[in-house]
């Protein structure tokens, strides 16, 4: 009789341990404290053009920052808790960097994404393409230190081409930085160890089967993240070639009788 009682007890304990372990590996750990660095914090050049503030720092980063109008003159309001979207352009695309940032500053997106909108950060690569994820992480952290209205626990990274490869590499290097990552035509090849470290991050990957050289490298990573990472998506097009993810793109998921778009997905991740 004792044997029959013991076996169910062991099963209950085993299930409980598995459930605890599952919850633990999918529990997102955010940055405990932001790292101040003078070369990334101080600004050497600053100007305003329309909705954007342009700045340069001693570390060599040139970047644009958008804050919702309500916080342009109230950037130190820590109660705002604005989400931040960081965009990464493709190789040799410094001149086009703002075109990706503008996706996220249009009124339709800003009015839906969060009660007071979202901040948008558009860095230009220091070379013709993005390198050094440790430096980029430090840069983003110091922008947040300078703008206390931004929530360090609610950051989305968006990238196209080499920028899409880099944003995934950055997430793997600093798993506590991003809540969500969007990779359009990216080609990062994730390792098993890296995959385990980014399980709590939500990924949206999209590639095209006729994007030779990119598809073969990027699609396996996209499929792995969609299968194992929290609330993630992988969308594959047959003939779209080399393209960037657009807010109107469908994710392939139907929610409440409506086809989910990339914009819907971003909003759900930010407000989760």
């Amino acid at each position: 009789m004792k044997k029959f009682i013991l076996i169910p007890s062991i099963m209950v304990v085993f299930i409980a341990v598995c459930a605890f372990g599952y919850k633990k590996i999918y529990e997102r750990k955010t940055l405990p404290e932001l790292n101040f660095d003078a070369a990334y914090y101080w600004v050497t050049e600053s100007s305003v053009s329309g909705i954007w503030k342009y700045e340069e720092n001693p570390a060599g980063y040139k970047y644009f920052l958008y804050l919702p109008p309500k916080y342009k003159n109230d950037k130190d309001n820590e109660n705002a808790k604005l989400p931040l979207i960081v965009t990464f352009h493709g190789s040799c695309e410094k001149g086009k960097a703002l075109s990706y940032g503008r996706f996220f500053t249009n009124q339709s997106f800003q009015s839906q994404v969060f009660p007071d909108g979202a901040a948008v950060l558009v860095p230009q690569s220091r070379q013709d393409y993005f390198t050094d994820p440790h430096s980029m992480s430090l840069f983003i952290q110091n922008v947040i230190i300078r703008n206390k209205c931004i929530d360090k626990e609610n950051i989305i990274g968006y990238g196209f081409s080499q920028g899409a490869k880099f944003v995934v590499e950055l997430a793997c290097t600093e798993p506590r930085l991003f809540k969500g990552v969007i990779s359009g035509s990216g080609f990062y090849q994730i390792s098993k160890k890296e995959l385990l470290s980014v399980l709590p991050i939500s990924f949206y990957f999209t590639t095209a089967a006729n994007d030779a050289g990119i598809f073969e490298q990027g699609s396996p990573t996209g499929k792995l993240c969609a299968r194992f990472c929290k609330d993630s998506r992988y969308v594959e097009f047959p003939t779209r070639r080399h393209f960037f993810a657009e807010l109107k793109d469908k994710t392939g998921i139907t929610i409440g009788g409506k086809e989910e778009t990339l914009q819907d997905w971003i909003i759900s991740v930010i407000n989760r």
Side-chain angles (χ1 to χ4, degrees), residues 30 128 179 181 232 244:
T30 55
D128 287 332
K179 190 177 185 182
V181 168
S232 294
F244 50 82

Side-chain angles (χ1 to χ4, degrees), residues 12-233:
V12 169
V13 172
F14 177 75
I15 292 169
V17 169
C18 289
F20 176 79
Y22 179 86
K23 182 181 178 182
K24 206 67 181 171
I25 63 173
Y26 279 95
E27 185 178 58
R28 182 167 173 260
K29 298 177 178 65
T30 55
L31 293 164
E33 188 176 342
L34 297 175
N35 294 303
F36 170 81
D37 189 295
Y40 295 83
Y41 178 85
W42 297 114
V43 170
T44 55
E45 296 287 338
S46 181
S47 61
V48 176
S49 177
I51 63 174
W52 297 98
K53 175 177 276 191
Y54 171 80
E55 295 181 334
E56 298 180 20
N57 65 27
Y61 281 107
K62 300 177 181 181
Y63 56 97
F64 299 88
L65 178 66
Y66 167 84
L67 293 178
K70 182 177 178 180
Y71 295 99
K72 267 192 169 183
N73 299 313
D74 194 19
K75 68 183 185 67
D76 292 327
N77 185 344
E78 295 184 26
N79 296 320
K81 296 291 183 184
L82 295 174
L84 174 66
I85 299 170
V86 188
T87 66
F88 299 90
H89 60 75
S91 179
C92 301
E93 278 197 335
K94 289 183 184 181
K96 291 181 64 177
L98 264 183
S99 64
Y100 302 112
R102 291 190 186 105
F103 293 163
F104 305 106
T105 59
N106 74 71
Q107 188 56 40
S108 173
F109 180 81
Q110 284 286 321
S111 63
Q112 297 178 63
V113 66
F114 203 69
D116 286 333
V120 184
L121 176 62
V122 183
Q124 293 181 322
S125 59
R126 290 187 290 185
Q127 301 179 33
D128 287 332
Y129 47 86
F130 289 103
T131 61
D132 196 349
H134 292 286
S135 175
M136 178 57 71
S137 175
L138 196 56
F139 160 67
I140 294 171
Q141 291 180 60
N142 278 267
V143 169
I144 296 171
I145 294 172
R146 283 179 56 81
N147 298 272
K148 295 181 176 61
C149 58
I150 296 173
D151 184 359
K152 69 182 178 68
E153 298 182 7
N154 207 352
I155 307 174
I156 305 291
Y158 171 98
F160 163 62
S161 191
Q162 196 274 328
K165 177 259 185 188
F166 180 76
V167 74
V168 179
E169 180 182 5
L170 178 54
C172 291
T173 304
E174 180 60 270
R176 297 186 175 200
L177 185 63
F178 292 124
K179 190 177 185 182
V181 168
I182 301 158
S183 173
S185 299
F187 49 94
Y188 189 75
Q189 299 177 68
I190 198 167
S191 69
K192 292 177 182 178
K193 183 179 179 181
E194 288 173 330
L195 182 63
L196 284 172
S197 72
V198 298
L199 290 177
I201 301 174
S202 297
F203 287 89
Y204 174 90
F205 272 85
T206 185
T207 61
N210 67 340
D211 192 7
I214 304 298
F215 175 76
E216 291 81 0
Q217 298 178 76
S219 61
T221 297
K223 291 172 182 176
L224 283 170
C225 288
R227 182 176 180 182
F228 294 107
C229 296
K230 188 174 185 178
D231 298 328
S232 294
R233 310 281 188 265

